[in-house]
Amino acid sequence: MPRNTRYDHDRQLRRVYLEAFGKGYVGAWARKEAVPVFAPTSEEDKARVLGYADGAMAGRTARDA
């Protein structure tokens, strides 16, 4: 899990981001990625999408290494 995120200023958004990051990481590692939210409109949805995408990228990098 990343120590610093783009949502460090907001506890709720940071929690959502890190939760989605973990799911994205595991999904990429297992080769079962999915998009959690399409066309996010709320800040929480944006944090979820960005967290998942960042986690998936980290998971793919770790898996392929």
Side-chain angles (χ1 to χ4, degrees), residues 5-50:
T5 73
R6 63 186 91 211
Y7 293 105
D8 287 344
H9 64 280
D10 186 314
R11 285 182 50 195
Q12 174 64 20
L13 293 178
R14 178 178 164 75
R15 184 189 63 75
V16 169
Y17 175 90
L18 290 174
E19 183 179 299
F21 183 97
K23 289 179 182 178
Y25 188 94
V26 171
W29 189 265
R31 297 185 189 266
K32 296 182 179 180
E33 296 175 57
V35 178
V37 176
F38 183 75
T41 55
S42 72
E43 286 303 311
E44 196 166 298
D45 285 346
K46 290 175 186 175
R48 188 173 291 115
V49 169
L50 291 172

